[in-house]
Amino acid sequence: MTSKEFFYKNKLILTIISICLILTGAIIGYLTFNNEPWETIGGFICGIGFGLFLIFVSLKEPEKQL
């Protein structure tokens, strides 16, 4: 099994994990408003989750090899 097949096979789980990262980052950023290091960490986590979400949503089925 190649990495493309692994990511496509677990696409739903990985998408849910990325949504959880987005929500966690947003909650950390909201709860620690005006507390500089944690606000930045929350934004970083949210950005990572959003980037992964875009990647996992746009995955296409890998071509079958003979």
Side-chain angles (χ1 to χ4, degrees):
M1 177 184 301
T2 64
S3 63
K4 289 182 183 181
E5 292 170 349
F6 173 77
F7 285 123
Y8 186 75
K9 185 177 177 183
N10 299 316
K11 181 178 177 180
L12 179 63
I13 294 170
L14 295 171
T15 304
I16 291 170
I17 290 172
S18 64
I19 290 173
C20 288
L21 282 173
I22 293 171
L23 293 176
T24 302
I27 290 170
I28 289 173
Y30 178 76
L31 293 177
T32 60
F33 184 72
N34 249 355
N35 189 357
E36 186 48 45
W38 283 104
E39 194 174 336
T40 304
I41 291 170
F44 180 74
I45 292 172
C46 191
I48 294 268
F50 186 68
L52 290 175
F53 178 76
L54 290 177
I55 290 171
F56 295 140
V57 167
S58 65
L59 281 178
K60 295 180 182 175
E61 185 175 3
E63 296 178 5
K64 303 283 183 185
Q65 303 231 346
L66 297 177

